[in-house]
Amino acid sequence: MATPESLAKKGRKRSDYGYHQLHQTRWFDNDMYAHLNNTVYTTLFDTIANSYLIEHCGMNPFSVNNPTPKSPEGQPSNLTGSTDQIGLIVSTHCDFFGSVAFPDTLEVGLRVAKLGSSSVTWEIGIFRKGEENVKMVGTYTHVFVLRETMRVGKGGMESRVRQGLEKLLSPPEAKL
């Protein structure tokens, strides 16, 4: 029997997500049952969440070992920010409502489902390009910790990260 939460997720539309990316599936993304392997979904979660953190929250995951990353052409990268924090994944969950497979193009949507003082729970919606019904809704929780100690800092997450995350907070009352 479907729960009210599962039914709500099944009803998600692209417009429920404030940040979007297109992803072309690859031949080796399929599993032996001819649908997208479960591990690929986690890769999609990681890609869209980290893209958002880099583009809108000033996070630079490369600043630990390479303070000024270079592009393949040897030019300085557009990743100029750095932070004393990193996001650690503490939880993932998926609800599947339909199958996707190679050669589908996927439209991936991202929103912030919950925002705590040091954590964010993302919600990711996977849609087959051109179709309205969501195929999968996943959640993914990051806890922001200090790089040096791997512990949550006294002030929680950095303000520029929080400000970027608040832009995707849906619904607004999800702020903890």
Side-chain angles (χ1 to χ4, degrees):
M1 186 165 132
T3 65
E5 182 181 9
S6 179
L7 291 172
K9 288 179 182 178
K10 188 174 183 177
R12 296 285 196 259
K13 303 294 180 216
R14 283 178 193 82
S15 60
D16 292 323
Y17 301 92
Y19 181 75
H20 301 89
Q21 289 183 336
L22 285 177
H23 288 274
Q24 176 59 54
T25 58
R26 303 160 300 177
W27 173 252
F28 67 88
D29 290 341
N30 287 349
D31 63 17
M32 63 188 273
Y33 304 109
H35 59 71
L36 212 63
N37 190 297
N38 292 341
T39 60
V40 176
Y41 289 99
T42 303
T43 301
L44 293 173
F45 292 5
D46 223 13
T47 299
I48 195 166
N50 283 295
S51 293
Y52 188 84
L53 287 169
I54 291 166
E55 293 171 21
H56 299 280
C57 298
M59 299 214 51
N60 178 353
F62 304 107
S63 65
V64 173
N65 299 317
N66 186 7
T68 310
K70 305 278 186 208
S71 71
E73 296 81 30
Q75 300 299 315
S77 168
N78 62 352
L79 296 173
T80 57
S82 67
T83 178
D84 292 332
Q85 296 180 335
I86 60 170
L88 298 179
I89 302 163
V90 297
S91 175
T92 62
H93 178 83
C94 296
D95 288 300
F96 295 93
F97 305 110
S99 183
V100 295
F102 176 81
D104 293 334
T105 299
L106 306 178
E107 296 181 38
V108 182
L110 179 71
R111 71 187 202 164
V112 171
K114 292 180 187 171
L115 186 58
S117 62
S118 62
S119 67
V120 59
T121 298
W122 307 97
E123 184 181 290
I124 298 96
I126 305 289
F127 300 84
R128 185 179 290 126
K129 186 176 179 184
E131 292 185 13
E132 288 304 313
N133 294 329
V134 69
K135 303 302 179 190
M136 189 279 309
V137 174
T139 57
Y140 183 87
T141 302
H142 272 132
V143 172
F144 294 94
V145 299
L146 297 171
R147 289 178 193 267
E148 296 296 320
T149 63
M150 300 299 275
R151 302 254 185 242
V152 173
K154 290 181 184 178
M157 73 180 71
E158 293 180 357
S159 63
R160 69 178 169 176
V161 174
R162 173 172 294 288
Q163 289 168 2
L165 295 174
E166 286 175 342
K167 293 175 185 174
L168 279 187
L169 191 58
S170 182
E173 64 271 11
K175 190 173 181 180
L176 299 174

